[in-house]
Amino acid sequence: MGSGRSWLLWDEAVTGYDFGPGHPMDPVRLALTMRLVEAFGLERACEVLAMKPAGESTLKLVHRGDYVAAVKRASAMPASADVTYGLGTADTPAFRGMHEVSSLIAGQSIGGAEAIWDGITDHAVNFAGGLHHAMPGSAAGFCVYNDASLAIARLLELGAERVAYVDVDVHHGDGVQAAFWDDPRVLTISLHEHPRSLYPGTGRPEETGHGAGTGYAVNVPLPPGTGDAAWLRALDAVVPELLADFAPQVLVSQHGVDTHFEDPLAHLALSVDAQRTAMELCHSWAHDFAGGRWLALGGGGYAVVDVVPRSWTHLVAIAAHAPIEPETAVPDEWLAQVYALTRMRGPSRMTDGRRPSWRAWEDGYDPADPVDQAIRAARQAVYPAHGLLP
């Protein structure tokens, strides 16, 4: 076990991950999150550290050499970006310094994974990470280098035999699934809005892996409009049984907060309170099933003032074993910073006023309920491969 003192991986330079004016992934969301972390004094409850950028050989644990070379070319000359590599598109525009800042974000996740594996710390958070759409040979969905996949690949390189990845972003964690599609050492579980209604159009229950990896990709696609209770029911009905069976040595979780009812790019209806509950569940699962070893990443989230900073500050606080009560008022000093940076008024409390609860799967299911149908489909697709009853 590690020191017990959690790590927050942060370098102010990650705010240079900037696709330009008008792009939904506004780096102000990262700056505002860190300022809120500081306003609550959480930097005293954990160690704030900056890791070095991922080097080219490390990037190649997941990404093809020709793709890394294409990113470097586009980073030096954005106008030369090659769209065949997913660069210079509307979703993922090229910008000067793109390779350097993407490598820096990846380096934070990789460095956190190394420290957890080496027993230096138990928990590490990189809320600038979670860029789960990047593929081995292309950028996609605002993501250049897939820091989650790289952190997992580094754990495998260090000798890990079982790593679990739980993704609660509103979008399917397609890049991580693809990276470990045929690898039984990595269990990927993604809970997301149904691909019929949302990018990237993948993540159906029947996507379960390939070859030796069959049964190690798990997908729970949920209908638009799913709210707190149904979403938490789905998470609790699928994840803990699989983690208990798999017995991961490390839990990696991705906490995209674009599941929120205010998010402009998707159609789920979660509150910050349900997101916080999911973070607490992942924390407890890390202790219950992975010896306390937990790497927690950010991800999507485009309500950049009202949602992202509050939710990820809760994530940092939970990982630091210094949770913030939901009813807590947001510090005035942070609200002043919000106005100075965005000319917007920030939220007043760390809650949306919800008290999430859910009905346990063991209490029975409704065959006519679309969320219960999704849970059932996911369990039927993968549970038998693990000797579990669906």
Side-chain angles (χ1 to χ4, degrees), residues 5 39-40 50 53-54 59 95 128 135 191 199 224 241 282 285 313 319 323 339 358 390:
R5 194 159 164 83
F40 276 112
L59 294 172
F95 60 92
M135 293 290 177
L191 192 79
Y199 177 93
E241 281 182 83
C282 285
W285 293 335
T313 297
Y339 189 76
W358 64 94

Side-chain angles (χ1 to χ4, degrees), residues 239-387:
V239 178
E241 281 182 83
L242 288 168
L243 293 181
D245 174 75
F246 186 63
Q249 292 159 295
V250 183
L251 175 64
V252 180
S253 57
Q254 195 268 22
H255 296 272
V257 293
D258 37 12
T259 49
H260 195 273
F261 58 77
E262 285 186 18
D263 198 89
L265 299 189
H267 319 97
L268 294 189
L270 268 62
S271 66
V272 164
D273 303 284
Q275 293 172 344
R276 181 184 185 277
T277 300
M279 294 163 186
E280 291 182 317
L281 287 171
C282 285
H283 182 211
S284 66
W285 293 335
H287 284 285
D288 291 345
F289 307 123
R293 291 177 287 272
W294 183 32
L295 175 64
L297 309 174
Y302 309 102
V304 300
V305 171
D306 282 351
V307 177
V308 176
R310 287 188 298 158
S311 198
W312 288 346
T313 297
H314 278 306
L315 179 63
V316 173
I318 289 163
H321 299 109
I324 297 167
E325 287 300 317
E327 298 295 327
T328 304
V330 170
D332 289 340
E333 66 186 85
W334 183 75
L335 293 172
Q337 291 171 319
V338 168
Y339 189 76
L341 285 170
T342 67
R343 291 295 182 264
M344 294 171 66
R345 290 185 61 181
S348 61
R349 295 186 302 161
M350 292 297 287
T351 179
D352 286 332
R354 308 283 178 86
R355 295 181 182 274
S357 63
W358 64 94
R359 190 166 55 88
W361 183 251
E362 294 74 24
D363 293 342
Y365 68 96
D366 177 358
D369 181 83
V371 171
D372 280 11
Q373 290 169 4
I375 295 168
R376 183 88 171 143
R379 290 171 64 103
Q380 287 179 324
V382 296
Y383 270 43
H386 299 272

